[in-house]
Amino acid sequence: MQHQHNLFTTMRSLNLAEGCKGAQVYAPPPPPQPNNNATGGVGDKFLQHLQDHLRVNSIRSKSSRTYPQANVVVSPESLLPFGLPLTDLLEPQIDPSLKFPDLVDKMAQVYRRIDNSDQSERSGAYLEQCAVFKGLSDPKLFRRSLRSSRQHAIDVHAKVVLSSWLRFERREDELIGTTSMDCCGRILECPKATLVTGYDPETVYDPCLCSGGASDEVQECSTSEEALDYDMSFCIGDEEVRCVRYKIASLSRPFKAMLYGGFNEMKRGTINFTHNGISVEGMRAAEIFSRTKRLDDFPPHVVLELLKLANRFCCDEMKSSCDEHLAHLVGTLDEAMLLIEYGLEESAYLLVAACLQVFLRELPSSMHNPNVIKIFCSVEGRERLASLGHASFKLYFFLSQIAMEDDMKSNTTVMILERLVECAVESWEKQLACHQLGVVMLERKEYKDAQRWFNTAVEAGHLYSLVGVARSKFKRDHRYSAYKIINSLISDHVPTGWMHQERSLYCSGKEKLLDLDTATELDPTLTFPYKFRAVALVEENQFGAAISELNKILGFKASPDCLEMRAWISIGKEDYEGALKDIRALLTLEPNFMMFNGKIHADHMVELLRPLAQQRSQADCWMQLFDHWSTVDDIGSLAVVHDMLANDPGNSLLRFRQSLLLLRLNCQKAAMRCLRLARNHSKLKHERLVYEGWILYDTGHREEALAKAEESISTQRSFEAFFLKAYALADSTLDPKSAEYVIQLLEEALRCPSDALRKGQALNNLGSVYVDCEKLDLAGDCYTNALNIKHTRAHQGLARVYHLKNQRKAAYDEMTKLIEKAQNNASAYEKRSEYCDREMAQSDLSLATQLDPLRTYPYRYRAAVLMDDHKENEAIEELSRAISFKPDLQLLHLRAAFYDSMGEGASAIKDCEAALCIDPGHTDTLELYHKAREANTTDQK
């Protein structure tokens, strides 16, 4: 490889805080004693030591947790230089993704397209599914569709683009010590496997040659001239290259015609080849290739000469060999920049693909290279790529997502989206490309162009783009026209939350508030209505009520804009501690967030507010984190960890803790970023392996995650390595033998050093496995021990044990304790409903929905009760209410079953198809789907 590099060069001349340290926490527990009450590696002495330690720290914290507040005077102007928020300046962002008035119908269409497509169409069908799922809140659905699109890709270009996109989704470019061409070990993303054309979906998850240690056999071939019957020469300058006439003639028809076809050259023993653009070295290589069909011994610049010669004289086999050979030499951005010009000029498909692959795997940094931008963004660049089959909608779809995330308003983003429009062929492609261009133009305040692109998207069939048309008109002072557009949309379709939200912008007074209330009722996940109502309350000087309004959505959705708004209002209320907490949590979600309508960096606000809040040592922060964790206050926990990282930014343990909290809050993108930082900051190999394993697991690579856990354990036994392995193995239906192995792994984890927060989680998980194995006493012991170290969520597991033991009252009481302790207690109300009578259950589930409308069990329960009471339409309405903003698999399956029982076969089939779009392997839905289709076919006959 060093030789190759030179040739290319020639060609282009866990340290915990003091207060939380203690031998008691980290001392391994004694070996388990053989008795029936053992909790698998967690002995009484260990728990006693742990409780003693916590009690000592609790006493210490009471005396030293806070410090006298400094006498700091800060003017209100410095904290709120732009004043308090105003309702007149608020407006919701337009979603750049595809959005549909009837998402269920669209998902059903996509499923049918995938199910009915042949192999040549399937990858494209999955790509459409990607576009649909991009607008949903679960990134795992998008990634799964992207993997399926790559799995069914046939041509090299599609494989290169989709494999690079999958790699980008894991943001491996942020992992220190990795290079863009590193292979993950599977054919699916292998940079070498992508350069092989063909359809083989069954093998894409197999290990690739990179990981298997396989090596290409090097065949020895003779290049000796002694035994050859040379009968001609090519003269180049003053030198001659001796050749075998029939071997050269076999390279192509033009050579055959030259040497055997009646031309003067056929009579000559020496042919002058001086002016044909080939050097002596190149011609000698051509002569050797004519005999051996190999290029292994030639340097890149000679192979490039052969490529030119092959194009000039139509030597297809030699061109193909040169193309493939050069493609496998491309490994760096500099090499790719150099060779892509040769590839485009000489129409070398694989070479251009290999260069594109480097550009794409170097994203997002390569997006700032002017030469790369020229190739991707210019009309000429797209046309040159298109001439070789390398300009596609999928390529520019990928690039557009990166460009919009990097800088929505940049010229680069506009040019990439213009190329996306040029590549759009299918209706959904035109809808997406034009809609995204409209969104960007709106952000750039180019309202006339925005309206034009939104209109084009509407003409292509994307009704949501009417929101963009209306907004563009509104920005150009055509308020009534905007109102009429959205009003007609509401009249002509089943109303959705986003429709009423948009119409609220174009009306005032009670009508505006009514639209906003309706928007929240139809879709409680929309943040704008909460923000508007909160700011309206601030304008009436009702700061407490404004905070309460924002608390409603922040209780179930960690929204950066709502955290910013609550912090903004808290400053106006002079609640600096609360404001600082929210801004710290906000920065954990989005480290570069700009507050006050993009005017001030949130980091700067932390510096301004910090002197006004309580000052804590690192040890006190650990105790505060423990308190927040115990009360299930995830936002508070994030704020504390952010505070601790300000003093210890290289602490990988804290970064990992951040990721766990963010995953609990369903903020996967931020969680993955924190995991990558944890991995980069870790100084220990076994820790890095664990963090890499979690990154793989959370992006759908379970087997690879298990391999990382194994490697970590073999390097050094640790709590996190055993915990990761147990967690990944338990993510499937466990047979008794597998369950026993998971138990052993968790016991090993508990024997290793860790803090009480993580040990509580391990005990809780161990209890869950024991319950599944019907070892209720051991499960109860685990949950009790977890509660003894303040793992509050263990109340739920203990309640389950009581319930299985037919101690329903004890189970109810246990959940009541969780409700009393936890700040976020929607799940506790939901679970408690299982342990009481119907009336009380309805009350608990009503509270659960009020606190967290994204929880689906309450809707399913209420619908089932209505169905039992023969109120079929009301049952359907209850499920439809949730499906309209959360098309959940279980909700769709249940509604399909209800429709089927009511004899509405077409509706049942559509819901089944939408559910199978989410999970094509869901057994119950598949059975119901086939049953409904058979019945529907019979009815039609």
Side-chain angles (χ1 to χ4, degrees):
M1 183 57 77
Q2 183 64 41
H3 173 65
Q4 175 193 324
H5 173 73
N6 291 338
L7 286 166
F8 276 120
T9 304
T10 302
M11 288 167 62
R12 55 181 179 263
S13 290
L14 182 67
N15 288 325
L16 293 177
E18 182 77 44
C20 283
K21 285 183 179 178
Q24 300 96 320
V25 175
Y26 296 98
Q33 300 299 316
N35 64 69
N36 294 333
N37 294 323
T39 57
V42 186
D44 292 338
K45 289 183 180 178
F46 163 72
L47 289 168
Q48 186 60 50
H49 288 171
L50 191 54
Q51 290 161 3
D52 290 345
H53 167 80
L54 292 172
R55 190 159 45 247
V56 168
N57 276 327
S58 178
I59 294 168
R60 183 187 305 157
S61 67
K62 289 177 183 176
S63 61
S64 64
R65 189 174 301 184
T66 61
Y67 297 93
Q69 194 165 311
N71 234 351
V72 179
V73 177
V74 178
S75 66
E77 290 78 14
S78 65
L79 293 176
L80 292 174
F82 303 100
L84 288 165
L86 299 171
T87 52
D88 289 345
L89 299 180
L90 293 177
E91 66 178 48
Q93 284 192 325
I94 295 177
D95 193 335
S97 303
L98 294 176
K99 214 173 182 73
F100 308 94
D102 188 348
L103 178 58
V104 171
D105 185 61
K106 181 62 182 179
M107 289 166 63
Q109 286 178 31
V110 169
Y111 175 77
R112 289 195 298 273
R113 180 187 174 188
I114 292 170
D115 196 41
N116 297 326
S117 61
D118 59 35
Q119 69 179 42
S120 64
E121 301 171 330
R122 189 151 295 177
S123 179
Y126 277 116
L127 191 65
E128 181 181 4
Q129 190 182 54
C130 285
V132 173
F133 284 157
K134 188 72 176 173
L136 303 185
S137 60
D138 186 355
K140 292 180 181 178
L141 292 175
F142 171 80
R143 281 197 296 268
R144 193 202 68 208
S145 298
L146 194 60
R147 282 197 297 273
S148 297
S149 186
R150 164 61 186 93
Q151 179 182 3
H152 293 277
I154 300 173
D155 61 274
V156 167
H157 172 77
K159 292 179 180 181
V160 163
V161 172
L162 297 169
S163 292
S164 300
W165 198 342
L166 282 168
R167 183 182 185 276
F168 177 81
E169 284 296 309
R170 288 202 307 280
R171 295 308 303 262
E172 289 198 3
D173 59 288
E174 294 181 4
L175 297 181
I176 294 172
T178 63
T179 67
S180 63
M181 299 305 286
D182 285 348
C183 179
C184 70
R186 303 281 175 181
I187 291 173
L188 189 74
E189 294 181 43
C190 175
K192 292 180 180 177
T194 58
L195 298 178
V196 179
T197 192
Y199 184 72
D200 194 2
E202 305 306 319
T203 64
V204 293
Y205 293 104
D206 291 348
C208 61
L209 293 177
C210 303
S211 62
S215 59
D216 296 331
E217 293 184 7
V218 179
Q219 300 175 2
E220 293 187 8
C221 59
S222 172
T223 59
S224 171
E225 301 179 2
E226 294 177 1
L228 295 172
D229 186 17
Y230 291 112
D231 54 359
M232 63 161 293
S233 298
F234 284 100
C235 180
I236 300 173
D238 297 330
E239 297 191 51
E240 288 189 5
V241 179
R242 298 168 66 201
C243 300
V244 178
R245 184 180 291 267
Y246 81 89
K247 290 287 187 181
I248 295 295
S250 70
L251 289 176
S252 71
R253 287 185 177 182
F255 270 124
K256 185 176 181 180
M258 176 195 296
L259 300 176
Y260 288 107
F263 292 97
N264 290 332
E265 285 82 357
M266 70 170 287
K267 302 173 184 177
R268 297 175 184 168
T270 301
I271 298 173
N272 189 342
F273 227 57
T274 303
H275 302 295
N276 281 284
I278 185 89
S279 68
V280 172
E281 188 181 13
M283 198 63 217
R284 286 194 177 121
E287 188 278 322
I288 292 171
F289 180 84
S290 74
R291 293 185 283 107
T292 67
K293 308 303 181 186
R294 297 182 65 83
L295 301 167
D296 300 350
D297 297 329
F298 307 137
H301 70 274
V302 171
V303 181
L304 283 170
E305 279 198 72
L306 290 180
L307 179 62
K308 287 186 176 182
L309 181 71
N311 263 334
R312 176 169 291 190
F313 289 92
C314 304
C315 307
D316 294 340
E317 183 183 10
M318 187 160 73
K319 177 179 179 179
S320 178
S321 296
C322 291
D323 191 8
E324 184 177 351
H325 181 84
L326 289 167
H328 283 94
L329 296 182
V330 185
T332 68
L333 192 60
D334 288 343
E335 291 167 358
M337 285 307 315
L338 175 70
L339 288 174
I340 195 168
E341 287 302 322
Y342 286 101
L344 290 168
E345 186 177 334
E346 301 300 332
S347 301
Y349 177 80
L350 283 180
L351 178 55
V352 172
C355 295
L356 275 181
Q357 179 164 245
V358 173
F359 297 158
L360 297 177
R361 290 173 75 95
E362 288 278 357
L363 289 168
S365 62
S366 60
M367 190 70 84
H368 300 283
N369 184 309
N371 295 319
V372 174
I373 289 299
K374 184 179 178 182
I375 292 169
F376 284 143
C377 295
S378 67
V379 174
E380 179 193 1
R382 189 196 70 81
E383 288 174 349
R384 293 180 75 195
L385 291 174
S387 68
L388 283 181
H390 283 301
S392 65
F393 183 85
K394 62 178 68 68
L395 169 65
Y396 285 100
F397 184 11
F398 177 23
L399 293 173
S400 70
Q401 302 310 296
I402 296 169
M404 292 173 73
E405 184 177 321
D406 183 58
D407 185 354
M408 179 79 82
K409 301 177 184 178
S410 73
N411 290 334
T412 297
T413 301
V414 172
M415 288 189 289
I416 285 175
L417 286 172
E418 287 173 343
R419 305 294 81 77
L420 183 69
V421 170
E422 291 166 3
C423 291
V425 176
E426 298 182 35
S427 61
W428 74 267
E429 294 174 346
K430 294 175 183 177
Q431 291 171 26
L432 179 63
C434 296
H435 179 72
Q436 288 187 155
L437 200 45
V439 169
V440 168
M441 290 301 179
L442 192 68
E443 286 290 315
R444 287 162 62 98
K445 299 183 179 180
E446 298 177 25
Y447 302 127
K448 197 169 184 179
D449 284 338
Q451 184 177 330
R452 177 169 59 87
W453 286 115
F454 282 130
N455 269 321
T456 307
V458 173
E459 290 166 7
H462 190 231
L463 288 175
Y464 176 65
S465 292
L466 284 169
V467 168
V469 176
R471 192 79 63 89
S472 303
K473 285 178 173 287
F474 176 63
K475 293 293 185 180
R476 296 170 65 204
D477 295 324
H478 302 307
R479 183 175 184 144
Y480 182 62
S481 178
Y483 178 88
K484 285 201 301 182
I485 290 170
I486 303 302
N487 199 51
S488 296
L489 185 64
I490 292 173
S491 301
D492 297 342
H493 298 85
V494 176
T496 63
W498 54 262
M499 293 178 189
H500 283 277
Q501 173 179 270
E502 190 65 24
R503 192 173 68 176
S504 73
L505 295 178
Y506 315 128
C507 49
S508 57
K510 291 183 179 179
E511 190 179 353
K512 177 187 281 284
L513 292 175
L514 181 61
D515 260 338
L516 289 171
D517 288 344
T518 305
T520 298
E521 183 181 342
L522 293 173
D523 185 354
T525 67
L526 295 172
T527 62
F528 174 74
Y530 298 93
K531 289 166 60 180
F532 186 93
R533 288 189 290 263
V535 174
L537 288 165
V538 167
E539 290 175 345
E540 296 174 3
N541 210 31
Q542 298 182 46
F543 287 84
I547 296 290
S548 297
E549 180 64 29
L550 291 169
N551 288 345
K552 292 176 185 176
I553 188 167
L554 287 169
F556 66 89
K557 183 178 181 179
S559 165
D561 57 331
C562 288
L563 282 169
E564 179 211 16
M565 186 61 71
R566 190 167 72 177
W568 197 344
I569 295 170
S570 293
I571 294 171
K573 193 185 172 188
E574 299 185 10
D575 176 12
Y576 303 130
E577 192 82 39
L580 186 59
K581 181 184 81 169
D582 282 344
I583 296 173
R584 287 193 184 281
L586 167 61
L587 282 166
T588 306
L589 295 171
E590 293 190 16
N592 298 314
F593 195 91
M594 301 292 290
M595 295 185 64
F596 309 140
N597 299 317
K599 302 292 196 306
I600 295 179
H601 199 290
D603 263 336
H604 181 61
M605 291 307 300
V606 169
E607 294 305 312
L608 291 176
L609 288 167
R610 191 164 54 183
L612 303 176
Q614 269 184 342
Q615 305 299 302
R616 296 179 177 88
S617 71
Q618 201 78 339
D620 293 331
C621 285
W622 271 107
M623 294 310 301
Q624 190 186 29
L625 175 60
F626 191 87
D627 291 342
H628 284 301
W629 193 280
S630 298
T631 57
V632 197
D633 177 10
D634 294 331
I635 297 294
S637 296
L638 280 180
V640 175
V641 174
H642 184 273
D643 189 9
M644 297 167 77
L645 281 167
N647 299 319
D648 190 6
N651 191 318
S652 59
L653 172 65
L654 289 173
R655 296 286 182 188
F656 180 55
R657 188 78 68 201
Q658 271 187 325
S659 73
L660 297 174
L661 288 163
L662 289 164
L663 285 172
R664 228 155 67 173
L665 289 165
N666 293 318
C667 302
Q668 195 181 56
K669 183 179 177 181
M672 291 301 99
R673 185 185 65 249
C674 291
L675 265 177
R676 291 190 292 271
L677 287 170
R679 182 265 186 200
N680 288 344
H681 285 297
S682 178
K683 297 177 176 63
L684 302 172
K685 180 182 177 182
H686 73 275
E687 279 186 4
R688 286 197 299 275
L689 288 167
V690 167
Y691 301 145
E692 288 170 7
W694 278 114
I695 291 169
L696 288 164
Y697 177 81
D698 288 324
T699 51
H701 299 267
R702 179 172 170 268
E703 296 301 321
E704 290 87 342
L706 283 168
K708 291 285 185 182
E710 287 279 10
E711 188 180 352
S712 179
I713 291 168
S714 67
T715 305
Q716 181 172 322
R717 296 162 64 85
S718 69
F719 174 91
E720 293 299 348
F722 281 115
F723 187 89
L724 168 60
K725 187 175 180 182
Y727 194 92
L729 285 172
D731 185 21
S732 60
T733 303
L734 294 175
D735 56 54
K737 186 177 179 180
S738 300
E740 190 62 37
Y741 185 47
V742 170
I743 288 169
Q744 291 173 16
L745 289 170
L746 289 170
E747 289 174 349
E748 289 295 333
L750 287 161
R751 290 190 183 98
C752 297
S754 187
D755 59 72
L757 299 177
R758 294 299 282 153
K759 285 195 180 283
Q761 182 66 63
L763 284 165
N764 198 61
N765 289 15
L766 183 57
S768 179
V769 180
Y770 276 138
V771 169
D772 292 340
C773 296
E774 299 182 359
K775 298 179 180 180
L776 300 183
D777 289 340
L778 291 174
D781 289 342
C782 284
Y783 291 128
T784 301
N785 291 335
L787 288 169
N788 287 339
I789 52 176
K790 296 191 176 181
H791 187 79
T792 309
R793 281 184 168 86
H795 283 296
Q796 185 170 312
L798 193 55
R800 185 182 173 198
V801 170
Y802 285 138
H803 179 63
L804 291 171
K805 289 182 174 182
N806 293 318
Q807 299 175 24
R808 192 173 175 130
K809 176 66 167 60
Y812 181 88
D813 292 342
E814 206 62 40
M815 292 310 299
T816 301
K817 293 175 187 176
L818 178 56
I819 288 169
E820 292 168 351
K821 291 179 183 179
Q823 287 199 22
N824 298 322
N825 52 19
S827 65
Y829 279 110
E830 178 184 300
K831 292 298 179 184
R832 191 175 72 170
S833 70
E834 298 177 20
Y835 312 131
C836 52
D837 59 37
R838 178 184 283 195
E839 187 176 341
M840 293 178 68
Q842 291 275 33
S843 176
D844 273 353
L845 291 174
S846 178
L847 277 168
T849 298
Q850 184 180 331
L851 293 168
D852 183 356
L854 291 174
R855 304 192 71 84
T856 62
Y857 173 75
Y859 301 98
R860 288 185 281 132
Y861 178 91
R862 288 190 290 264
V865 169
L866 288 165
M867 206 68 180
D868 286 344
D869 293 341
H870 305 289
K871 298 178 179 178
E872 290 89 351
N873 292 332
E874 290 90 334
I876 294 293
E877 287 174 11
E878 179 65 27
L879 293 173
S880 300
R881 185 159 65 100
I883 289 170
S884 65
F885 62 87
K886 185 175 182 178
D888 173 78
L889 172 66
Q890 298 294 338
L891 291 170
L892 286 164
H893 172 76
L894 186 58
R895 191 171 72 172
F898 286 177
Y899 276 133
D900 184 62
S901 69
M902 295 162 63
E904 298 186 25
S907 296
I909 289 170
K910 184 172 79 170
D911 276 355
C912 283
E913 289 168 341
L916 292 170
C917 186
I918 296 171
D919 181 0
H922 192 251
T923 306
D924 291 344
T925 303
L926 282 168
E927 290 177 1
L928 179 60
Y929 183 47
H930 295 314
K931 174 191 168 189
R933 287 184 69 179
E934 287 173 8
N936 198 49
T937 303
T938 303
D939 290 345
Q940 288 177 356
K941 289 179 181 179

